[in-house]
Amino acid sequence: MMLMEETEIAGAALPVDGFKAHLRLGSGFAEDAVQDGVLAGFLRAAIAAIEARTAKILLARSFQLTLADWRDATGQPFPVAPVTAVTGVTLVDRDGGEVVVDPALYRLERDSQRPRLMPVATLLPVIPQSGEARIAFDAGMGADFDALPADLRQAVMLLAAHYYEYRDDTALSAGCMPFGVTSLIERYRTVRLLGGGAA
C-alpha cells in the first residue's frame, strides 16, 4: 500500500497571521512578512505531524492510494479520514495498461474513523495479477483552518510554536510531541483492534 498526496495545502489556508499573534511577534514594521515562509513551514510540519498521529486529514486536498491487492474485496478501508469523495478507481496490469473502473460499480462509505470503498454489487473488481489498483480521492475536515474544530486548531498552534521555539535544538532530533498537544488530539486517534481492523 502506498498513499501519495496529489495536492498540497494552499498557502492561503494556513493561519500565518494567527500564528504570529500566537507567538506574540511584533507587527507594524516594514519587515512584517519576512518570516512568513518560515512560519508557514512550521504550520505545515505541525499539521503533518498531527495528521500522522491521528490518521485524520485536517485541511482538504487530493490523494492517491495504490494497492497490490484489496485488504477485503467486500469493502476496502482507507488509511485516512474523513474521505469526502472518491474521484476515480483505475486498475493497472503488470505491463502498465490501465482500465478506469465505472463509478457505478463502487461507492464511498463515509465514516469518521474508517471510511471504505464499497462495491455496489458483491465484490470490488479484481486487481490484475502483479498489477495494482489506484484510488483517487479527496479528504479533509475543512477547506481552511477556521473550519477545523477548536481543539485541533489549538493543537496545531501549540505544536508549530514548539517547533519554532526549539528550531535550533539538536537534542530533539528524535522528535517529540508536547503533552498539551497529545491531550488535544487524543480523541481523534483511530483505535485499532483485531490485527489492524478499526474499532
Side-chain angles (χ1 to χ4, degrees), residues 101-164:
V101 178
D102 184 346
L105 299 178
Y106 59 84
R107 64 183 178 83
L108 170 64
E109 182 180 83
R110 296 173 187 270
D111 187 273
S112 62
Q113 294 292 331
R114 203 69 164 163
R116 296 193 300 166
L117 179 71
M118 301 292 292
V120 169
T122 308
L123 299 173
L124 291 167
V126 176
I127 297 175
Q129 187 173 11
S130 301
E132 61 189 23
R134 296 176 186 163
I135 307 167
F137 66 96
D138 297 332
M141 292 184 173
D144 57 44
F145 193 73
D146 290 337
L148 299 180
D151 49 359
L152 287 178
R153 293 198 309 267
Q154 182 67 9
V156 170
M157 290 293 187
L158 288 174
L159 187 55
H162 178 77
Y163 289 160
Y164 180 84

Side-chain angles (χ1 to χ4, degrees):
M1 179 181 78
M2 181 169 60
L3 181 66
M4 292 182 59
E5 192 173 315
E6 296 286 281
T7 58
E8 68 174 18
I9 298 169
L14 295 170
V16 174
D17 289 337
F19 188 35
K20 287 180 184 176
H22 181 82
L23 294 173
R24 296 180 180 155
L25 295 179
S27 61
F29 302 100
E31 292 126 9
D32 272 0
V34 83
Q35 281 199 83
D36 284 6
V38 173
L39 298 179
F42 287 123
L43 287 167
R44 288 182 191 279
I47 289 168
I50 290 170
E51 288 179 343
R53 285 284 180 104
T54 62
K56 303 296 182 296
I57 301 302
L58 303 188
L59 296 177
R61 52 206 192 274
S62 298
F63 296 85
Q64 179 175 275
L65 176 64
T66 303
L67 301 163
D69 201 1
W70 304 118
R71 173 185 262 185
D72 183 347
T74 64
Q76 171 65 43
F78 287 91
V80 295
V83 173
T84 55
V86 176
T87 56
V89 176
T90 304
L91 302 178
V92 184
D93 64 28
R94 71 175 77 189
D95 299 318
E98 299 183 0
V99 175
V100 176
V101 178
D102 184 346
L105 299 178
Y106 59 84
R107 64 183 178 83
L108 170 64
E109 182 180 83
R110 296 173 187 270
D111 187 273
S112 62
Q113 294 292 331
R114 203 69 164 163
R116 296 193 300 166
L117 179 71
M118 301 292 292
V120 169
T122 308
L123 299 173
L124 291 167
V126 176
I127 297 175
Q129 187 173 11
S130 301
E132 61 189 23
R134 296 176 186 163
I135 307 167
F137 66 96
D138 297 332
M141 292 184 173
D144 57 44
F145 193 73
D146 290 337
L148 299 180
D151 49 359
L152 287 178
R153 293 198 309 267
Q154 182 67 9
V156 170
M157 290 293 187
L158 288 174
L159 187 55
H162 178 77
Y163 289 160
Y164 180 84
E165 184 70 23
Y166 292 98
R167 60 193 178 277
D168 297 321
D169 194 338
T170 57
L172 295 174
S173 60
C176 65
M177 192 163 282
F179 171 75
V181 176
T182 56
S183 62
L184 286 168
I185 68 173
E186 185 62 31
R187 74 185 184 103
Y188 295 96
R189 296 184 70 183
T190 300
V191 178
R192 298 181 190 277
L193 298 172
L194 304 175

